Amino acid sequence: MAQAMADTGAAAPVPRAGRYRWMIVALLFAATTVNYIDRTMLGLLAPALGDELGWSENDYGNIVTAFQAAYAFGFLIMGWLIDRFGPKIGYSIAIAIWTVGHVAHGFASSVVSFMLARIVLGVGEAGHFPSVVRASSEWFPQKERAYAIGWVNSATTIGVILTAPTVALFMRILGFDWRETFIYTGIFGVILLLLWLWLYSNPRESGKVSEAELAWIEHDPPEKIERLGWRAIVTKREAWAFATAKFLTDPVWFLMLFWLPKYFATTYDVDLKIVLLPMIIMYLLSDVGSIFGGWVSSKLIHMGRSVNFARKVTMIGAGCCVLPLLFVTGLDNMWLAVVLIGIALAGHQAFSSTILSIPPDMFPKRAVGSVIGLGGFMGGIGGMIMAKSTGLVLDATGGNYTIIFAACTTVYFIAVFAVHLLSPRLAPVTVEGARPVA
């Protein structure tokens, strides 16, 4: 493993130039924020909706499961769609679908109708990360891509943090009820869709990129394959390297999103929906990890280390940052727990930024969406398994999180080992009979 990771890559002679590509990052950052506000809003309003509509715990569980299942399977559909039509059209379709699903919450009244709204939302939102990575592969060279994805990935927690102020703005200041809040916050998705259609195109067609910046964006070696179909992708070990890593590590993020409020309520008698500072601290630390992880991976490549070395060493370091979870349970000091969990979340997001940058390292641009879709599907399946097993463990241990947090600290190292085993050098895939680039 060490030998394979130690190979160095050739330094590119083209200097960095121009900054328009970072406008694309800003656009994707805004899109990620809207995406997470839309998916998080129901969870914030769930207690009030449950009282008004008479939901049982099982009813709400069914609504959550409907979203998770649609989100998982939606990755397969949306990944293919984005590869087929490109990120401009593919992501536009995704934004439109999830915005319709979000607004539909305002018209729902039964458990079934909420499940249907969450299914539409989940299918649409599944198109987000395939679009992010595909767009990043078009706008950023390999040595800068992880840093760009790190910035975009950091907006996931910004969206979570901004959900409560958004709901407060519409319900407490503007005086809307929850139905109107779902309906009128749909304007965010409409604005996002219009901005995306207006501002996004590939670098050569944008008309806003200088020749020097275009040379920087396109200075990677040309791809040998134009695109791969699903049949070819699912037979490649490199695709399963990414998918296995997502299956193992995505559930940790789902755990933190769905179970942290319950953990703080039962352990420290603190409601994170009311006392926001602990949540803000933890999620801002995770943002630092997302950006820093992407920066480290890109910096190592700039220093002349191979892509293989840079990605895998960064992922190992990120996994080490999750280890403080081992010491969280049993802490009497809530703020120390906040810091340790925040460091662990930073480690996860650093890992996430890096692993998302790997599919473009190995696959042609017009296959990246499908590969991300496969990984997202596997991550969703892992998340559903984690949700069920967490409940079983907590019931069996009287609410003790020690085993759960310990398991979370191991999966990152297993994931790196699996990636290395399936793709020792992160080399571009080769397929006999694949369509070559003209």
Side-chain angles (χ1 to χ4, degrees):
M1 181 172 179
Q3 180 61 41
M5 290 171 57
D7 300 334
T8 58
V14 180
R16 280 180 287 182
R19 290 190 171 275
Y20 188 79
R21 64 194 182 280
W22 293 102
M23 190 280 294
I24 300 300
V25 168
L27 182 59
L28 290 169
F29 186 98
T32 306
T33 302
V34 173
N35 182 285
Y36 269 75
I37 289 174
D38 286 358
R39 81 170 60 181
T40 307
M41 192 176 293
L42 179 65
L44 193 67
L45 293 171
L49 294 182
D51 291 340
E52 179 178 331
L53 301 175
W55 291 346
S56 66
E57 290 292 338
N58 186 57
D59 288 335
Y60 182 63
N62 289 334
I63 293 170
V64 171
T65 300
F67 172 82
Q68 289 181 310
Y71 189 62
F73 284 97
F75 266 105
L76 299 176
I77 300 168
M78 287 297 172
W80 172 85
L81 187 75
I82 288 154
D83 281 340
R84 177 66 178 83
F85 297 103
K88 185 181 184 74
I89 300 301
Y91 195 36
S92 297
I93 294 171
I95 295 169
I97 291 173
W98 100 53
T99 300
V100 169
H102 175 74
V103 171
H105 288 67
F107 298 95
S109 56
S110 66
V111 172
V112 172
S113 57
F114 270 98
M115 289 175 66
L116 291 174
R118 295 305 281 180
I119 288 171
V120 175
L121 180 76
V123 170
E125 291 205 334
H128 177 69
F129 279 108
S131 299
V132 166
V133 179
R134 171 66 186 274
S136 299
S137 70
E138 290 188 351
W139 277 90
F140 288 86
Q142 189 177 54
K143 64 178 58 178
E144 201 174 48
R145 193 176 299 135
Y147 186 42
I149 292 174
W151 273 101
V152 176
N153 194 46
S154 71
T156 58
T157 50
I158 298 298
V160 174
I161 292 171
L162 289 179
T163 303
T166 299
V167 170
L169 170 65
F170 279 83
M171 296 188 70
R172 296 182 183 178
I173 297 177
L174 298 179
F176 295 138
D177 62 21
W178 65 265
R179 292 186 182 279
E180 293 169 326
T181 297
F182 274 115
I183 293 169
Y184 287 114
T185 52
I187 191 65
F188 298 148
V190 174
I191 293 171
L192 174 62
L193 176 59
L194 294 175
L195 286 174
W196 184 257
L197 288 170
W198 176 38
L199 295 173
Y200 190 85
S201 62
N202 66 51
R204 282 198 168 272
E205 295 175 354
S206 70
K208 299 177 182 179
V209 180
S210 67
E211 289 297 326
E213 185 174 13
L214 189 61
W216 169 253
I217 291 170
E218 296 181 344
H219 80 268
D220 287 335
E223 295 177 343
K224 298 180 179 180
I225 303 171
E226 180 180 345
R227 63 179 299 179
L228 296 175
W230 262 114
R231 183 176 299 179
I233 288 171
V234 298
T235 63
K236 303 306 293 182
R237 298 187 350 156
E238 292 84 356
W240 290 104
F242 172 73
T244 301
K246 294 288 283 181
F247 174 79
L248 290 167
T249 61
D250 275 11
V252 179
W253 184 247
F254 291 130
L255 174 76
M256 295 301 171
L257 283 178
F258 297 138
W259 292 88
L260 269 186
K262 184 176 177 60
Y263 177 76
F264 274 82
T266 57
T267 306
Y268 303 108
D269 196 25
V270 171
D271 187 347
L272 294 184
K273 295 184 181 67
I274 299 173
V275 184
L276 295 178
L277 185 58
M279 183 180 74
I280 291 172
I281 291 172
M282 289 184 290
Y283 285 150
L284 287 181
L285 283 172
S286 77
D287 284 346
V288 172
S290 179
I291 297 166
F292 185 70
W295 178 84
V296 168
S297 178
S298 295
K299 185 66 173 179
L300 287 170
I301 299 173
H302 274 296
M303 293 170 61
R305 304 312 298 258
S306 69
V307 172
N308 187 50
F309 179 90
R311 305 293 193 228
K312 291 174 182 174
V313 165
T314 303
M315 288 192 291
I316 291 171
C320 291
C321 291
V322 184
L323 292 175
L325 273 182
L326 288 169
F327 309 104
V328 168
T329 54
L331 285 177
D332 294 328
N333 188 318
M334 183 191 74
W335 294 107
L336 179 57
V338 166
V339 171
L340 293 183
I341 293 173
I343 293 172
L345 287 173
H348 172 85
Q349 288 292 71
F351 189 98
S352 179
S353 297
T354 307
I355 197 67
L356 283 171
S357 67
I358 284 179
D361 294 335
M362 301 184 294
F363 288 87
K365 291 182 179 66
R366 294 185 66 185
V368 164
S370 297
V371 176
I372 296 293
L374 177 64
F377 169 74
M378 293 300 295
I381 296 300
M384 286 187 279
I385 294 172
M386 171 66 88
K388 185 64 176 179
S389 59
T390 297
L392 293 173
V393 170
L394 291 177
D395 284 342
T397 61
N400 191 309
Y401 285 77
T402 301
I403 295 175
I404 296 166
F405 285 171
C408 290
T409 64
T410 64
V411 293
Y412 298 89
F413 303 104
I414 298 172
V416 176
F417 178 76
V419 169
H420 188 74
L421 185 67
L422 293 168
S423 184
R425 298 183 182 277
L426 296 184
V429 298
T430 57
V431 179
E432 293 183 6
R435 185 187 305 175
V437 175

